[in-house]
Amino acid sequence: MSELTAKALELAAMTPTDFIFGAATSSWQIEGNSSTRGASIWDDFANAGRIKDGALADPACDHVSLYQTDLDLLSWLNVDAYRFSVSWPRVIPTGSGKASAVGLDFYDKLIDGLLARNIKPSLTIYHWDLPVELEAMGGWTWDGISESFAEYTNILAEKFSDRIDFWSTLNEPWVSAFLGYATAIHAPGRNDAASGFRAAYNLMLAHGKSLQVLREHSVKNAGTVLNLTSIIATSELAAAQEHIDILQNRFWLDLLAGRGVSSVLIENTKHILDWDFVDQAELDCISKPIDWLGINYYTPTRLGMAAPASAAVGQDLALYPGTPQPISFNPLPPTTEMGWEIDASSLLTTLQQTSARLPNTPLYITENGGAFPDHIIDGKVLDFDRVDYFYTHIKTALEAVAQGIDLKGYFAWSLLDNIEWAEGISKKFGIIHNDFSNQKRTPKLSAEFLRELNLGRKR
Ligand code: FCB
């Protein structure tokens, strides 16, 4: 037996029978075919040359044309579930009003294709591709945005409520608000701290209203997805650590758990905004119980005082407005191509912390994986680093289950090499290699590894 198979079977033997393994993608990162939908803020961002390697929405992975191929790859992987997102402007081309029959039909076929292959659909309603017409109204800082989101949710729920196993309202609202509005790292690129906080609140209000619509349609498993992590710092940086922990983790969990906006956050940010928009009835709406919480985990956030030698993508003090002390981000080696420290033990800390902060809520790891340089040898992609990353993180996740954490599933990021947002196509997270010149898909060693794990569990 090869070492790869032995490791896969070791994990398979640790996996509870009802635990779910899956793979994840998002619409803008893979779909392409932008001419058959409305425009999103990511199209504008890409067209303005804001993506590092100049990648554009097309062709991406041309998934709208090739979804049958991708469904077959999911079958080959033997996954239990597939997490994908719906493109808002594909379903409602101008953001509000009439739905597109062509757009809905695409997701209809995708979902039926999953069910025909006995793969549970996990649908994310919003993974960052906001229609440009809504951005023109003010985007996530606009008062009306949560109503538009509820209407969009209603269209999806009417069409798909009986066929989706897991619904997620949002993907990583922290990224939407702070990379897109507080800074200009992501679309729409506003670069205004107060707008970041306003967007953060409106995203959560949109979650609450969307959840209410999902409940009206009695959907199965309604939840949301946050990017949570453990903030590591020495004691002299305790004040910065607390602030960053609030912005990264607690703000979202506090709102979901009904604890409102933290007084420490309000104090630390009083020079930026007065939070007068916070409304008790809205807080009540946001804190209605969810059936599950998704955690996207990649790396810890390690704080230090010295300037780091190389900056990690998305680790920037401007993302945490109001931090009361000057700090730097100091990821320790080994790191991935994103500059992200590889540390599976922080996944365990994150799971423990989250289950304490939002008790009685089943958890899923909805994204985990790494960007590594791929070595293609004789047509094979031998991504040993990625195999190792999956092995150590899945093992940690399963150890967390054994310790009694209510963790019910794990999704690898990502099914395919895709457009890694502002980093473009040069940062590759896929377990399946994609040649963007001809759309040829080649499973990497990490895909073989996850397939062996899935086959081992089902034996
Ligand atoms: C997460 C995003 C996902 C992908 C990974 C690497 O923040 O949700 O789309 O870009 O990072």
Side-chain angles (χ1 to χ4, degrees):
M1 185 191 297
S2 72
E3 199 194 327
L4 187 94
T5 306
K7 282 186 167 174
L9 294 181
E10 177 198 345
L11 297 179
M14 292 172 72
T15 309
T17 44
D18 60 350
F19 195 85
I20 283 177
F21 272 104
T25 62
S26 89
S27 48
W28 196 82
Q29 292 179 280
I30 65 165
E31 284 183 357
N33 293 262
S34 67
S35 64
T36 55
R37 59 161 171 77
S40 84
I41 53 174
W42 274 95
D43 300 321
D44 277 3
F45 198 75
N47 292 336
R50 306 284 295 276
I51 293 189
K52 285 185 189 148
D53 60 9
L56 298 171
D58 298 303
C61 303
D62 197 15
H63 170 73
V64 168
S65 320
L66 297 175
Y67 72 96
Q68 293 279 3
T69 305
D70 296 334
L71 287 170
D72 290 343
L73 285 164
L74 287 162
S75 269
W76 172 81
L77 281 164
N78 265 275
V79 288
D80 307 300
Y82 173 54
R83 174 174 178 257
F84 64 97
S85 79
V86 171
S87 157
W88 189 340
R90 192 174 289 290
V91 165
I92 314 177
T94 55
S96 51
K98 207 170 139 26
S100 152
V102 176
L104 284 171
D105 188 52
F106 168 67
Y107 296 108
D108 208 37
K109 290 202 200 109
L110 179 73
I111 292 164
D112 282 349
L114 290 167
L115 296 175
R117 289 165 180 78
N118 207 13
I119 299 169
K120 294 182 193 331
S122 173
L123 183 156
T124 303
I125 300 174
Y126 183 71
H127 197 131
W128 308 351
D129 38 4
L130 187 72
V132 290
E133 289 78 3
L134 298 179
E135 177 56 26
M137 302 290 293
W140 286 108
T141 65
W142 173 47
D143 275 344
I145 193 74
S146 53
E147 272 311 309
S148 298
F149 191 63
E151 285 161 24
Y152 163 45
T153 303
N154 192 50
I155 288 174
L156 297 185
E158 269 180 3
K159 182 86 179 164
F160 304 126
S161 65
D162 53 337
R163 287 178 285 161
I164 299 296
D165 284 274
F166 297 94
W167 290 82
S168 170
T169 55
L170 303 175
N171 176 71
E172 302 188 358
W174 176 78
V175 171
S176 296
F178 291 96
L179 277 78
Y181 289 82
T183 65
I185 301 172
H186 274 192
R190 288 275 197 99
N191 216 7
D192 171 55
S195 296
F197 290 107
R198 192 64 212 252
Y201 180 80
N202 281 347
L203 279 151
M204 290 309 278
L205 182 57
H207 155 77
K209 290 189 183 173
S210 172
L211 183 69
Q212 195 179 333
V213 172
L214 294 174
R215 294 293 181 222
E216 283 159 13
H217 288 83
S218 308
V219 305
K220 274 188 262 176
N221 298 316
T224 199
V225 170
L226 303 174
N227 56 319
L228 304 176
T229 192
S230 139
I231 316 298
I232 305 171
T234 51
S235 56
E236 64 269 32
L237 297 179
Q241 181 187 31
E242 180 184 32
H243 184 78
I244 291 175
D245 185 32
I246 291 172
L247 270 186
Q248 189 72 63
N249 303 310
R250 281 173 41 195
F251 174 78
W252 322 96
L253 296 169
D254 282 350
L255 289 187
L256 291 174
R259 292 186 289 266
V261 180
S262 133
S263 54
V264 176
L265 179 63
I266 293 174
E267 177 63 25
N268 285 349
T269 56
K270 63 177 186 237
H271 57 294
I272 303 171
L273 77 169
D274 60 16
W275 294 92
D276 63 347
F277 50 83
V278 175
D279 173 271
Q280 190 54 48
E282 292 177 349
L283 291 177
D284 293 344
C285 167
I286 299 170
S287 61
K288 292 282 181 294
I290 49 179
D291 302 324
W292 64 282
L293 176 73
I295 299 176
N296 294 352
Y297 172 86
Y298 290 92
T299 183
T301 299
R302 188 180 296 275
L303 309 184
M305 282 184 287
S310 70
V313 174
Q315 296 194 352
D316 185 329
L317 198 52
L319 292 168
Y320 303 95
T323 302
Q325 286 174 288
I327 51 103
S328 63
F329 295 86
N330 292 55
L332 292 181
T335 57
T336 68
E337 285 230 294
M338 301 288 274
W340 294 348
E341 176 174 342
I342 301 173
D343 176 24
S345 72
S346 287
L347 171 60
L348 180 61
T349 317
T350 302
L351 290 167
Q352 288 165 336
Q353 238 168 29
T354 308
S355 46
R357 289 170 171 179
L358 191 68
N360 307 317
T361 311
L363 303 177
Y364 288 77
I365 295 170
T366 32
E367 284 181 28
N368 179 242
F372 296 99
D374 284 332
H375 304 293
I376 308 180
I377 301 165
D378 292 338
K380 285 198 179 298
V381 188
L382 302 177
D383 57 338
F384 297 109
D385 292 338
R386 191 174 287 104
V387 170
D388 204 51
Y389 184 100
F390 281 130
Y391 171 72
T392 53
H393 286 77
I394 293 173
K395 191 167 177 183
T396 301
L398 294 171
E399 282 165 0
V401 177
Q403 285 179 19
I405 302 268
D406 191 10
L407 175 69
K408 294 196 161 323
Y410 176 99
F411 291 72
W413 183 270
S414 177
L415 177 68
L416 296 166
D417 285 341
N418 57 46
I419 310 179
E420 176 44 35
W421 305 110
E423 299 298 309
I425 57 173
S426 34
K427 296 283 189 297
K428 298 182 189 305
F429 279 87
I431 58 171
I432 294 172
H433 179 270
N434 189 46
D435 182 334
F436 292 94
S437 71
N438 60 13
Q439 299 297 340
K440 185 170 181 304
R441 319 282 206 237
T442 308
K444 303 181 190 179
L445 197 64
S446 55
E448 305 265 0
F449 175 69
L450 294 174
R451 176 172 191 261
E452 297 242 13
L453 162 55
N454 290 326
L455 289 172
R457 288 187 300 124
K458 290 176 183 175
R459 221 168 264 155

